[in-house]
Amino acid sequence: MAKKRPNKIERERLQAVADMPCYACYIEGREVAAEVHHIRSQTGLGLRPSHFATIPLCPTHHRYGKVSVHLGKKAFVERYGTEQEILEKTNREIERCKEENQVIF
């Protein structure tokens, strides 16, 4: 069974998040290119979460750092907040930029 392709609105959301710098690095005063992290909350491991539950994280903070969502989640949450908190901030920033017709970050 083929994966469902994102529709136009989902693609725009994914691109907006991908264009943002890594949230964790930005908090530390650096602008590092990010990749899109899908927040898994109510879905099983085999199910793709919503494209609207996405946040910008660099590969280190996303996948392989000691302080990362996948390998060092407890330390990540202590330092940067929960994924849900970061999602809310990401959503506010995207909306602010849309209202002001600005490029994100």
Side-chain angles (χ1 to χ4, degrees):
M1 184 166 145
K3 289 184 180 181
K4 180 184 165 211
R5 295 190 60 174
N7 64 32
K8 183 178 187 286
I9 295 170
E10 291 171 328
R11 285 192 308 272
E12 289 172 356
R13 164 62 187 214
L14 292 171
Q15 188 61 58
V17 172
D19 289 343
M20 298 171 104
C22 170
Y23 174 82
C25 291
Y26 192 79
I27 293 299
E28 295 173 356
R30 299 177 291 133
E31 287 197 31
V32 175
E35 57 190 27
V36 177
H37 166 65
H38 286 81
I39 298 171
R40 296 186 186 278
S41 55
Q42 302 298 326
T43 60
L45 288 177
L47 301 174
R48 172 66 77 181
S50 168
H51 292 304
F52 295 97
T54 52
I55 58 176
L57 295 173
C58 67
T60 301
H61 286 112
H62 183 194
R63 295 179 278 122
Y64 58 81
K66 288 183 180 179
V67 179
S68 68
V69 172
H70 291 292
L71 292 181
K73 189 162 192 160
K74 184 178 178 183
F76 181 90
V77 169
E78 287 173 2
R79 189 173 296 175
Y80 305 110
T82 66
E83 293 169 276
Q84 194 61 41
E85 291 168 340
I86 297 169
L87 175 62
E88 290 169 12
K89 291 175 184 178
T90 300
N91 289 342
R92 282 195 303 268
E93 183 63 15
I94 290 171
E95 283 305 311
R96 183 190 68 77
C97 290
K98 281 182 185 177
E99 289 171 4
E100 296 178 10
N101 240 355
Q102 289 182 343
V103 175
I104 296 175
F105 280 89

PDB file of all heavy atoms in Angstrom, residues 3-16 38 48-54 98:
ATOM      1  N   LYS A   3       2.093   5.142   0.447  1.00  0.00           N
ATOM      2  CA  LYS A   3       1.834   6.198   1.420  1.00  0.00           C
ATOM      3  C   LYS A   3       1.036   7.302   0.757  1.00  0.00           C
ATOM      4  O   LYS A   3       1.233   7.615  -0.413  1.00  0.00           O
ATOM      5  CB  LYS A   3       3.147   6.781   1.938  1.00  0.00           C
ATOM      6  CG  LYS A   3       3.915   5.859   2.827  1.00  0.00           C
ATOM      7  CD  LYS A   3       5.138   6.569   3.367  1.00  0.00           C
ATOM      8  CE  LYS A   3       5.920   5.645   4.252  1.00  0.00           C
ATOM      9  NZ  LYS A   3       7.107   6.290   4.809  1.00  0.00           N
ATOM     10  N   LYS A   4       0.153   7.908   1.559  1.00  0.00           N
ATOM     11  CA  LYS A   4      -0.640   9.019   1.048  1.00  0.00           C
ATOM     12  C   LYS A   4       0.268  10.238   0.911  1.00  0.00           C
ATOM     13  O   LYS A   4       0.998  10.598   1.827  1.00  0.00           O
ATOM     14  CB  LYS A   4      -1.779   9.312   2.019  1.00  0.00           C
ATOM     15  CG  LYS A   4      -2.656  10.436   1.592  1.00  0.00           C
ATOM     16  CD  LYS A   4      -3.700  10.731   2.647  1.00  0.00           C
ATOM     17  CE  LYS A   4      -4.303  12.088   2.336  1.00  0.00           C
ATOM     18  NZ  LYS A   4      -4.724  12.791   3.508  1.00  0.00           N
ATOM     19  N   ARG A   5       0.222  10.875  -0.241  1.00  0.00           N
ATOM     20  CA  ARG A   5       1.032  12.072  -0.476  1.00  0.00           C
ATOM     21  C   ARG A   5       0.379  13.269   0.191  1.00  0.00           C
ATOM     22  O   ARG A   5      -0.838  13.389   0.208  1.00  0.00           O
ATOM     23  CB  ARG A   5       1.155  12.316  -1.971  1.00  0.00           C
ATOM     24  CG  ARG A   5       1.922  11.181  -2.658  1.00  0.00           C
ATOM     25  CD  ARG A   5       2.233  11.532  -4.050  1.00  0.00           C
ATOM     26  NE  ARG A   5       3.050  12.755  -4.011  1.00  0.00           N
ATOM     27  CZ  ARG A   5       3.615  13.301  -5.050  1.00  0.00           C
ATOM     28  NH1 ARG A   5       3.466  12.759  -6.225  1.00  0.00           N
ATOM     29  NH2 ARG A   5       4.332  14.383  -4.943  1.00  0.00           N
ATOM     30  N   PRO A   6       1.201  14.186   0.733  1.00  0.00           N
ATOM     31  CA  PRO A   6       0.629  15.385   1.364  1.00  0.00           C
ATOM     32  C   PRO A   6      -0.117  16.240   0.340  1.00  0.00           C
ATOM     33  O   PRO A   6       0.316  16.369  -0.806  1.00  0.00           O
ATOM     34  CB  PRO A   6       1.855  16.148   1.874  1.00  0.00           C
ATOM     35  CG  PRO A   6       2.985  15.180   1.854  1.00  0.00           C
ATOM     36  CD  PRO A   6       2.650  14.127   0.843  1.00  0.00           C
ATOM     37  N   ASN A   7      -1.233  16.816   0.769  1.00  0.00           N
ATOM     38  CA  ASN A   7      -1.961  17.724  -0.111  1.00  0.00           C
ATOM     39  C   ASN A   7      -1.286  19.101  -0.091  1.00  0.00           C
ATOM     40  O   ASN A   7      -0.281  19.307   0.592  1.00  0.00           O
ATOM     41  CB  ASN A   7      -3.443  17.801   0.277  1.00  0.00           C
ATOM     42  CG  ASN A   7      -3.655  18.382   1.661  1.00  0.00           C
ATOM     43  OD1 ASN A   7      -2.894  19.234   2.131  1.00  0.00           O
ATOM     44  ND2 ASN A   7      -4.704  17.921   2.331  1.00  0.00           N
ATOM     45  N   LYS A   8      -1.835  20.065  -0.811  1.00  0.00           N
ATOM     46  CA  LYS A   8      -1.204  21.374  -0.965  1.00  0.00           C
ATOM     47  C   LYS A   8      -1.011  22.072   0.380  1.00  0.00           C
ATOM     48  O   LYS A   8       0.063  22.610   0.669  1.00  0.00           O
ATOM     49  CB  LYS A   8      -2.040  22.254  -1.894  1.00  0.00           C
ATOM     50  CG  LYS A   8      -1.432  23.613  -2.170  1.00  0.00           C
ATOM     51  CD  LYS A   8      -2.300  24.411  -3.131  1.00  0.00           C
ATOM     52  CE  LYS A   8      -1.656  25.694  -3.564  1.00  0.00           C
ATOM     53  NZ  LYS A   8      -1.625  26.740  -2.604  1.00  0.00           N
ATOM     54  N   ILE A   9      -2.008  22.075   1.215  1.00  0.00           N
ATOM     55  CA  ILE A   9      -1.917  22.748   2.517  1.00  0.00           C
ATOM     56  C   ILE A   9      -0.878  22.054   3.396  1.00  0.00           C
ATOM     57  O   ILE A   9      -0.085  22.715   4.078  1.00  0.00           O
ATOM     58  CB  ILE A   9      -3.298  22.793   3.199  1.00  0.00           C
ATOM     59  CG1 ILE A   9      -4.244  23.660   2.366  1.00  0.00           C
ATOM     60  CG2 ILE A   9      -3.190  23.320   4.622  1.00  0.00           C
ATOM     61  CD1 ILE A   9      -5.679  23.598   2.802  1.00  0.00           C
ATOM     62  N   GLU A  10      -0.855  20.728   3.361  1.00  0.00           N
ATOM     63  CA  GLU A  10       0.150  19.985   4.140  1.00  0.00           C
ATOM     64  C   GLU A  10       1.556  20.264   3.611  1.00  0.00           C
ATOM     65  O   GLU A  10       2.492  20.441   4.404  1.00  0.00           O
ATOM     66  CB  GLU A  10      -0.153  18.482   4.085  1.00  0.00           C
ATOM     67  CG  GLU A  10      -1.403  18.097   4.845  1.00  0.00           C
ATOM     68  CD  GLU A  10      -1.816  16.669   4.602  1.00  0.00           C
ATOM     69  OE1 GLU A  10      -1.586  16.144   3.478  1.00  0.00           O
ATOM     70  OE2 GLU A  10      -2.382  16.063   5.528  1.00  0.00           O
ATOM     71  N   ARG A  11       1.717  20.305   2.290  1.00  0.00           N
ATOM     72  CA  ARG A  11       3.037  20.622   1.709  1.00  0.00           C
ATOM     73  C   ARG A  11       3.503  22.006   2.125  1.00  0.00           C
ATOM     74  O   ARG A  11       4.678  22.207   2.449  1.00  0.00           O
ATOM     75  CB  ARG A  11       3.003  20.505   0.185  1.00  0.00           C
ATOM     76  CG  ARG A  11       2.983  19.086  -0.332  1.00  0.00           C
ATOM     77  CD  ARG A  11       3.233  19.006  -1.835  1.00  0.00           C
ATOM     78  NE  ARG A  11       2.375  19.860  -2.633  1.00  0.00           N
ATOM     79  CZ  ARG A  11       1.181  19.528  -3.106  1.00  0.00           C
ATOM     80  NH1 ARG A  11       0.696  18.317  -2.860  1.00  0.00           N
ATOM     81  NH2 ARG A  11       0.472  20.375  -3.828  1.00  0.00           N
ATOM     82  N   GLU A  12       2.588  22.967   2.138  1.00  0.00           N
ATOM     83  CA  GLU A  12       2.942  24.328   2.561  1.00  0.00           C
ATOM     84  C   GLU A  12       3.380  24.344   4.020  1.00  0.00           C
ATOM     85  O   GLU A  12       4.346  25.018   4.375  1.00  0.00           O
ATOM     86  CB  GLU A  12       1.763  25.280   2.341  1.00  0.00           C
ATOM     87  CG  GLU A  12       1.503  25.577   0.882  1.00  0.00           C
ATOM     88  CD  GLU A  12       0.225  26.371   0.645  1.00  0.00           C
ATOM     89  OE1 GLU A  12      -0.528  26.637   1.617  1.00  0.00           O
ATOM     90  OE2 GLU A  12      -0.029  26.719  -0.519  1.00  0.00           O
ATOM     91  N   ARG A  13       2.678  23.609   4.861  1.00  0.00           N
ATOM     92  CA  ARG A  13       3.048  23.524   6.278  1.00  0.00           C
ATOM     93  C   ARG A  13       4.432  22.890   6.426  1.00  0.00           C
ATOM     94  O   ARG A  13       5.295  23.398   7.148  1.00  0.00           O
ATOM     95  CB  ARG A  13       1.994  22.708   7.045  1.00  0.00           C
ATOM     96  CG  ARG A  13       2.407  22.223   8.417  1.00  0.00           C
ATOM     97  CD  ARG A  13       2.708  23.341   9.377  1.00  0.00           C
ATOM     98  NE  ARG A  13       3.259  22.819  10.619  1.00  0.00           N
ATOM     99  CZ  ARG A  13       3.040  23.356  11.785  1.00  0.00           C
ATOM    100  NH1 ARG A  13       2.282  24.422  11.886  1.00  0.00           N
ATOM    101  NH2 ARG A  13       3.585  22.842  12.860  1.00  0.00           N
ATOM    102  N   LEU A  14       4.641  21.779   5.763  1.00  0.00           N
ATOM    103  CA  LEU A  14       5.930  21.092   5.850  1.00  0.00           C
ATOM    104  C   LEU A  14       7.067  21.987   5.357  1.00  0.00           C
ATOM    105  O   LEU A  14       8.145  22.027   5.961  1.00  0.00           O
ATOM    106  CB  LEU A  14       5.891  19.780   5.062  1.00  0.00           C
ATOM    107  CG  LEU A  14       4.979  18.698   5.638  1.00  0.00           C
ATOM    108  CD1 LEU A  14       4.853  17.536   4.661  1.00  0.00           C
ATOM    109  CD2 LEU A  14       5.484  18.216   6.993  1.00  0.00           C
ATOM    110  N   GLN A  15       6.821  22.743   4.290  1.00  0.00           N
ATOM    111  CA  GLN A  15       7.850  23.647   3.768  1.00  0.00           C
ATOM    112  C   GLN A  15       8.122  24.782   4.743  1.00  0.00           C
ATOM    113  O   GLN A  15       9.273  25.166   4.957  1.00  0.00           O
ATOM    114  CB  GLN A  15       7.440  24.207   2.404  1.00  0.00           C
ATOM    115  CG  GLN A  15       8.556  24.987   1.727  1.00  0.00           C
ATOM    116  CD  GLN A  15       9.783  24.120   1.464  1.00  0.00           C
ATOM    117  OE1 GLN A  15       9.688  23.107   0.789  1.00  0.00           O
ATOM    118  NE2 GLN A  15      10.924  24.503   2.008  1.00  0.00           N
ATOM    119  N   ALA A  16       7.077  25.321   5.358  1.00  0.00           N
ATOM    120  CA  ALA A  16       7.253  26.397   6.339  1.00  0.00           C
ATOM    121  C   ALA A  16       8.108  25.923   7.506  1.00  0.00           C
ATOM    122  O   ALA A  16       9.027  26.621   7.951  1.00  0.00           O
ATOM    123  CB  ALA A  16       5.896  26.890   6.836  1.00  0.00           C
ATOM    124  N   HIS A  38       8.021  14.949  13.042  1.00  0.00           N
ATOM    125  CA  HIS A  38       6.608  14.668  13.283  1.00  0.00           C
ATOM    126  C   HIS A  38       6.444  14.228  14.730  1.00  0.00           C
ATOM    127  O   HIS A  38       7.121  13.293  15.178  1.00  0.00           O
ATOM    128  CB  HIS A  38       6.095  13.556  12.364  1.00  0.00           C
ATOM    129  CG  HIS A  38       5.899  13.984  10.960  1.00  0.00           C
ATOM    130  ND1 HIS A  38       6.927  14.072  10.051  1.00  0.00           N
ATOM    131  CD2 HIS A  38       4.772  14.353  10.295  1.00  0.00           C
ATOM    132  CE1 HIS A  38       6.444  14.469   8.889  1.00  0.00           C
ATOM    133  NE2 HIS A  38       5.140  14.645   9.009  1.00  0.00           N
ATOM    134  N   ARG A  48       1.749   7.341  10.578  1.00  0.00           N
ATOM    135  CA  ARG A  48       2.337   8.671  10.413  1.00  0.00           C
ATOM    136  C   ARG A  48       1.436   9.695  11.104  1.00  0.00           C
ATOM    137  O   ARG A  48       0.250   9.752  10.840  1.00  0.00           O
ATOM    138  CB  ARG A  48       2.448   8.992   8.929  1.00  0.00           C
ATOM    139  CG  ARG A  48       2.862  10.404   8.620  1.00  0.00           C
ATOM    140  CD  ARG A  48       4.244  10.768   9.040  1.00  0.00           C
ATOM    141  NE  ARG A  48       5.202  10.207   8.117  1.00  0.00           N
ATOM    142  CZ  ARG A  48       6.499  10.343   8.249  1.00  0.00           C
ATOM    143  NH1 ARG A  48       6.987  11.009   9.251  1.00  0.00           N
ATOM    144  NH2 ARG A  48       7.315   9.792   7.399  1.00  0.00           N
ATOM    145  N   PRO A  49       1.992  10.477  11.990  1.00  0.00           N
ATOM    146  CA  PRO A  49       1.182  11.532  12.611  1.00  0.00           C
ATOM    147  C   PRO A  49       0.857  12.632  11.607  1.00  0.00           C
ATOM    148  O   PRO A  49       1.414  12.680  10.510  1.00  0.00           O
ATOM    149  CB  PRO A  49       2.068  12.057  13.727  1.00  0.00           C
ATOM    150  CG  PRO A  49       3.412  11.494  13.516  1.00  0.00           C
ATOM    151  CD  PRO A  49       3.316  10.402  12.504  1.00  0.00           C
ATOM    152  N   SER A  50       0.017  13.526  12.008  1.00  0.00           N
ATOM    153  CA  SER A  50      -0.401  14.625  11.149  1.00  0.00           C
ATOM    154  C   SER A  50       0.788  15.483  10.718  1.00  0.00           C
ATOM    155  O   SER A  50       1.717  15.709  11.487  1.00  0.00           O
ATOM    156  CB  SER A  50      -1.391  15.511  11.920  1.00  0.00           C
ATOM    157  OG  SER A  50      -1.603  16.724  11.246  1.00  0.00           O
ATOM    158  N   HIS A  51       0.725  15.975   9.496  1.00  0.00           N
ATOM    159  CA  HIS A  51       1.757  16.883   9.003  1.00  0.00           C
ATOM    160  C   HIS A  51       1.663  18.242   9.698  1.00  0.00           C
ATOM    161  O   HIS A  51       2.549  19.070   9.553  1.00  0.00           O
ATOM    162  CB  HIS A  51       1.650  17.049   7.495  1.00  0.00           C
ATOM    163  CG  HIS A  51       1.994  15.814   6.733  1.00  0.00           C
ATOM    164  ND1 HIS A  51       3.198  15.154   6.862  1.00  0.00           N
ATOM    165  CD2 HIS A  51       1.278  15.103   5.826  1.00  0.00           C
ATOM    166  CE1 HIS A  51       3.221  14.103   6.080  1.00  0.00           C
ATOM    167  NE2 HIS A  51       2.065  14.038   5.435  1.00  0.00           N
ATOM    168  N   PHE A  52       0.589  18.467  10.434  1.00  0.00           N
ATOM    169  CA  PHE A  52       0.431  19.717  11.177  1.00  0.00           C
ATOM    170  C   PHE A  52       0.996  19.603  12.588  1.00  0.00           C
ATOM    171  O   PHE A  52       1.098  20.601  13.292  1.00  0.00           O
ATOM    172  CB  PHE A  52      -1.038  20.134  11.203  1.00  0.00           C
ATOM    173  CG  PHE A  52      -1.538  20.469   9.831  1.00  0.00           C
ATOM    174  CD1 PHE A  52      -2.232  19.536   9.084  1.00  0.00           C
ATOM    175  CD2 PHE A  52      -1.264  21.702   9.259  1.00  0.00           C
ATOM    176  CE1 PHE A  52      -2.666  19.831   7.804  1.00  0.00           C
ATOM    177  CE2 PHE A  52      -1.681  22.007   7.981  1.00  0.00           C
ATOM    178  CZ  PHE A  52      -2.379  21.063   7.254  1.00  0.00           C
ATOM    179  N   ALA A  53       1.372  18.422  12.995  1.00  0.00           N
ATOM    180  CA  ALA A  53       2.035  18.204  14.286  1.00  0.00           C
ATOM    181  C   ALA A  53       3.528  18.045  14.020  1.00  0.00           C
ATOM    182  O   ALA A  53       4.119  16.991  14.230  1.00  0.00           O
ATOM    183  CB  ALA A  53       1.458  16.975  14.985  1.00  0.00           C
ATOM    184  N   THR A  54       4.136  19.113  13.496  1.00  0.00           N
ATOM    185  CA  THR A  54       5.537  19.076  13.102  1.00  0.00           C
ATOM    186  C   THR A  54       6.282  20.269  13.680  1.00  0.00           C
ATOM    187  O   THR A  54       5.721  21.366  13.807  1.00  0.00           O
ATOM    188  CB  THR A  54       5.672  19.097  11.572  1.00  0.00           C
ATOM    189  OG1 THR A  54       4.917  20.187  11.048  1.00  0.00           O
ATOM    190  CG2 THR A  54       5.168  17.802  10.961  1.00  0.00           C
ATOM    191  N   LYS A  98       2.659  34.811   8.557  1.00  0.00           N
ATOM    192  CA  LYS A  98       1.607  34.904   7.542  1.00  0.00           C
ATOM    193  C   LYS A  98       0.905  36.252   7.640  1.00  0.00           C
ATOM    194  O   LYS A  98       0.648  36.901   6.629  1.00  0.00           O
ATOM    195  CB  LYS A  98       0.574  33.781   7.728  1.00  0.00           C
ATOM    196  CG  LYS A  98       0.997  32.445   7.194  1.00  0.00           C
ATOM    197  CD  LYS A  98      -0.133  31.460   7.400  1.00  0.00           C
ATOM    198  CE  LYS A  98       0.263  30.064   6.990  1.00  0.00           C
ATOM    199  NZ  LYS A  98      -0.816  29.092   7.261  1.00  0.00           N
TER     200      LYS A  98
END
